[in-house]
């Protein structure tokens, strides 16, 4: 996640019929499951060979799967690339996603979804009050909307909430509680078992503690997978990038692992990462692939397709222009296909010991906050209609958990790396767990403009 955030708009597009012709018969999609430390498509090992997908970037806060005018054109490009997963950072749980999800299924493409958005998320600076029934209703409504599709691959319970400042680790119990609650909701509503896990930041000082934390405790508390963002391979190789050490560190971890973002732009990009990710002798026994960041070219310069400008940032219906990196990524995927066989995966899963408290990890033990009382009724009755991307927000909605996580009940102070005078009065949006401003971390200050005042008025916390 880049720590320089410029918020310029917040809107959602309606679904309109347009785009590619539909198949007369829907494709049959095999749901993805977990077994041991790997994903499976039926009896076949499944590797994530995908891309991050957020047209307009974080500033647009746009749900591309709610608008066929956007998604259908991009699905053509996805098929040409040869990917099998897209990660979508913002979804509007008040809208239907039927046309886009079915078109993706017809193309053999699965979807990994972040369940948070700027208004409904855990606040890393003050996590306890933001973990409340209103927040969980939005999370559960997102599950309701996407559980009906067999090509929903996984849900992310949080994105880069834990950063490089130690105090941000105090938000971990609340994200893990959300992770736990999501699995409980899926089970209570008798949905198929959809993997739920966390997407960690590219932060070396607490990466292993975070990984162990999300895989410790009871079976009900442990994640189904662990993912992290990694931008250390900068047109280099397996050893120079340090990936060999990470593979060694994660050997015997006990859960499926994949990269939720990768794709360093230093020295250009040839996507040599794919060669290692698909190598039986190097990575497949431990990792299950990764998601390249990202599809559309935004201000941070990581895209492989440029969309010509529309009337505003939320209009992402313009012409799709392939950039040179599009052909490079397509070539890498074709040159390094998913390996046959089981890739040497471990057939058993196992828990880790919870990480001890230290200077970089301030969580004391594995105690998690109790689900807020007002959210428990959703397990039996369902969540109902979601608030979408323009609701009243949840971070100070009340009905928080009666108990706190281990370490600190408030997580006072910012865990986001902010603190400059330019951002001292920034809104809670900066610290939102699901505010998926993706890409490698820039340790500069947050810069929030545009809708920051609006977010503050509707319930954000002033740092």
């Amino acid at each position: 996640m880049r720590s320089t955030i410029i918020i310029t708009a917040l809107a959602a597009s309606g679904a309109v019929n347009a785009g590619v012709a539909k198949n007369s018969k829907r494709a049959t999609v095999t749901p993805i499951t977990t077994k041991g430390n790997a994903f499976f498509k039926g009896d076949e090992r499944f590797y994530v060979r995908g891309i991050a997908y957020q047209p307009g970037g974080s500033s647009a806060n746009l749900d591309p799967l709610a608008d066929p005018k956007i998604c259908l054109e991009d699905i053509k490009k996805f098929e040409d690339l040869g990917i099998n997963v897209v990660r979508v950072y913002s979804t509007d749980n008040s809208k239907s996603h039927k046309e886009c999800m079915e078109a993706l299924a017809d193309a053999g493409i699965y979807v990994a979804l972040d369940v948070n958005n700027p208004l409904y998320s855990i606040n890393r600076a003050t996590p306890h009050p933001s973990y409340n029934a209103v927040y969980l209703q939005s999370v559960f409504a997102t599950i309701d909307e996407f559980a009906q599709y067999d090509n929903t691959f996984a849900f992310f319970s949080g994105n880069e909430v834990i950063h490089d400042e130690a105090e941000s680790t105090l938000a971990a119990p609340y994200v893990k509680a959300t992770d736990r609650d999501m699995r409980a909701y899926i089970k209570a509503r008798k949905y198929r078992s959809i993997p739920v896990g966390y997407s960690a930041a590219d932060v070396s000082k607490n990466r292993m503690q975070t990984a162990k934390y999300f895989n410790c405790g009871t079976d009900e508390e442990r994640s189904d997978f662990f993912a992290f963002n990694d931008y250390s391979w900068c047109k280099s190789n397996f050893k120079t990038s340090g990936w060999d050490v990470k593979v060694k560190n994660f050997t015997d971890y006990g859960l499926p692992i994949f990269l939720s973002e990768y794709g360093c732009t230093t020295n250009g990009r040839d996507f040599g990462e794919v060669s290692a990710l698909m190598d039986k002798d190097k990575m497949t026994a431990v990792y299950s692939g990764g998601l390249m960041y990202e599809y559309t070219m935004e201000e941070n310069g990581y895209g492989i397709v440029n969309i010509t400008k529309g009337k505003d940032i939320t209009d992402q219906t313009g012409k799709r222009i392939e950039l040179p990196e599009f052909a490079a990524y397509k070539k890498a995927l074709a040159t390094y296909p998913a390996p046959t066989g089981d890739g040497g995966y471990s057939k058993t899963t196992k828990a880790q010991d919870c990480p001890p408290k230290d200077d970089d990890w301030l969580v004391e033990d594995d105690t998690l906050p109790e689900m807020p009382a007002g959210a428990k009724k959703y397990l039996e009755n369902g969540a109902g209609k979601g608030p979408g991307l323009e609701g009243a927000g949840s971070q100070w909605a009340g009905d928080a958990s009666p108990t706190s996580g281990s370490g600190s009940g408030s997580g006072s102070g910012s865990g986001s790396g902010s603190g400059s005078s330019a951002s001292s009065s920034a809104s809670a949006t900066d610290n939102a767990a699901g505010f998926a401003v993706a890409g490698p971390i820039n340790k500069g200050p947050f810069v929030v403009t545009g809708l920051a005042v609006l977010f503050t008025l509707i319930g954000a916390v002033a740092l």
Side-chain angles (χ1 to χ4, degrees), residues 8 24 60 116 130 195 198 262 268 313 338 356 368-369 413:
T8 58
S24 59
N116 300 282
S130 63
Y198 176 66
Y262 72 87
I313 197 169
L368 299 182

Side-chain angles (χ1 to χ4, degrees), residues 363-433:
V363 181
E364 294 178 353
D365 56 39
D366 62 352
T367 303
L368 299 182
E370 180 184 337
M371 181 187 290
K376 294 179 181 179
K377 64 179 179 288
Y378 302 129
L379 301 180
E380 181 178 354
N381 302 325
K385 185 177 177 61
L389 296 174
E390 297 182 312
S394 66
Q395 293 191 5
W396 292 99
D399 195 10
S401 172
T403 60
S404 64
S406 172
S408 170
S410 65
S412 60
S414 171
S416 62
S418 61
S420 69
S421 59
S423 60
S424 60
S425 62
S427 78
T429 305
D430 300 0
N431 297 298

Side-chain angles (χ1 to χ4, degrees), residues 5 7 118-119 123 395 426-432 435 448 451-452 455 460:
I5 305 175
I7 305 172
L119 295 179
N123 187 297
Q395 293 191 5
S427 78
T429 305
D430 300 0
N431 297 298
F435 188 44
V448 183
L451 292 183
F455 287 144

Side-chain angles (χ1 to χ4, degrees), residues 174-238:
Y174 299 91
V175 182
K176 187 173 179 179
T178 303
D179 201 275
R180 172 203 63 195
D181 297 344
M182 291 170 66
R183 279 189 302 282
Y185 185 79
I186 289 169
K187 183 177 181 179
R189 303 307 300 158
K190 295 180 170 57
Y191 294 137
R192 67 177 174 86
S193 182
I194 305 170
V196 176
Y198 176 66
S199 172
D202 188 4
V203 176
S204 60
K205 66 169 63 175
N206 58 36
R207 183 186 296 114
M208 290 310 301
Q209 290 101 317
T210 302
K212 290 179 179 180
Y213 184 72
F214 280 89
N215 190 22
C216 74
T218 66
D219 288 347
E220 291 75 22
E221 294 170 343
R222 295 166 55 225
S223 294
D224 296 317
F225 66 84
F226 182 72
F228 64 95
N229 304 335
D230 192 326
Y231 290 86
S232 58
W233 184 306
C234 297
K235 204 173 183 180
S236 56
N237 57 58
F238 186 59

Side-chain angles (χ1 to χ4, degrees), residues 20-27 102 106:
V20 298
K22 306 177 188 64
N23 293 338
S24 59
K25 185 177 180 180
R26 295 259 72 92
E102 289 185 344
D106 290 342

Side-chain angles (χ1 to χ4, degrees), residues 80-389:
D80 188 30
L81 279 171
I83 62 171
N84 63 3
V85 176
V86 294
R87 178 183 181 180
V88 179
Y89 295 85
S90 288
T91 54
D92 188 330
N93 55 24
S94 70
K95 295 183 177 180
S96 170
H97 298 80
K98 181 179 175 64
E99 190 166 350
C100 290
M101 289 298 290
E102 289 185 344
L104 286 163
D106 290 342
I109 297 172
Y110 294 83
V111 181
L113 295 154
D114 289 77
V115 298
N116 300 282
N117 64 64
L119 295 179
Y120 295 87
S121 52
I122 299 296
N123 187 297
R124 73 166 61 92
T126 52
H128 183 79
S130 63
Y131 173 65
N132 58 51
V134 174
Y135 164 61
L136 288 176
Q137 190 273 336
S138 178
V139 170
F140 295 160
T142 299
I143 293 174
D144 286 340
E145 171 58 20
F146 288 94
Q148 64 185 300
Y149 303 109
D150 286 341
N151 59 326
T152 296
F153 161 53
F155 292 115
F156 290 114
S157 57
N159 179 62
E160 300 193 334
V161 189
I162 302 161
H163 266 225
D164 56 342
E165 290 194 1
E167 286 197 359
S168 70
T169 66
L170 295 173
Y174 299 91
V175 182
K176 187 173 179 179
T178 303
D179 201 275
R180 172 203 63 195
D181 297 344
M182 291 170 66
R183 279 189 302 282
Y185 185 79
I186 289 169
K187 183 177 181 179
R189 303 307 300 158
K190 295 180 170 57
Y191 294 137
R192 67 177 174 86
S193 182
I194 305 170
V196 176
Y198 176 66
S199 172
D202 188 4
V203 176
S204 60
K205 66 169 63 175
N206 58 36
R207 183 186 296 114
M208 290 310 301
Q209 290 101 317
T210 302
K212 290 179 179 180
Y213 184 72
F214 280 89
N215 190 22
C216 74
T218 66
D219 288 347
E220 291 75 22
E221 294 170 343
R222 295 166 55 225
S223 294
D224 296 317
F225 66 84
F226 182 72
F228 64 95
N229 304 335
D230 192 326
Y231 290 86
S232 58
W233 184 306
C234 297
K235 204 173 183 180
S236 56
N237 57 58
F238 186 59
K239 289 190 176 182
T240 302
S241 65
W243 281 24
D244 59 332
V245 176
K246 292 170 187 173
V247 170
K248 182 178 179 180
N249 290 341
F250 279 109
T251 298
D252 296 325
Y253 174 64
L255 289 179
I257 295 171
F258 67 97
L259 298 183
S260 41
E261 293 174 11
Y262 72 87
C264 175
T265 57
T266 303
N267 303 321
R269 295 199 286 182
D270 60 9
F271 303 107
E273 298 100 318
V274 181
S275 66
L277 287 168
M278 297 297 112
D279 193 319
K280 290 182 180 180
D281 296 326
K282 292 179 178 177
M283 297 192 73
T284 62
V286 180
Y287 286 42
S288 290
L291 295 157
M292 190 277 287
Y293 184 81
E294 65 177 321
Y295 175 68
T296 53
M297 179 59 73
E298 308 299 341
E299 291 183 1
N300 57 14
Y302 283 80
I304 63 173
V305 167
N306 188 55
I307 299 178
T308 57
K309 291 183 178 179
K311 59 184 179 181
D312 57 40
I313 197 169
T314 67
D315 182 358
Q316 297 293 318
T317 60
K319 183 178 180 181
R320 272 67 177 152
I321 301 172
E322 295 177 9
L323 301 174
E325 289 83 359
F326 184 97
Y329 188 45
K330 177 180 177 180
K331 181 180 179 181
L333 291 170
T335 304
Y336 305 106
T340 58
D342 65 16
Y345 87 106
S346 174
K347 295 178 175 57
T348 58
T349 183
K350 66 177 182 180
Q352 295 284 316
D353 292 331
C354 290
K357 181 179 178 180
D358 60 26
D359 290 344
D360 295 321
W361 186 262
L362 303 185
V363 181
E364 294 178 353
D365 56 39
D366 62 352
T367 303
L368 299 182
E370 180 184 337
M371 181 187 290
K376 294 179 181 179
K377 64 179 179 288
Y378 302 129
L379 301 180
E380 181 178 354
N381 302 325
K385 185 177 177 61
L389 296 174

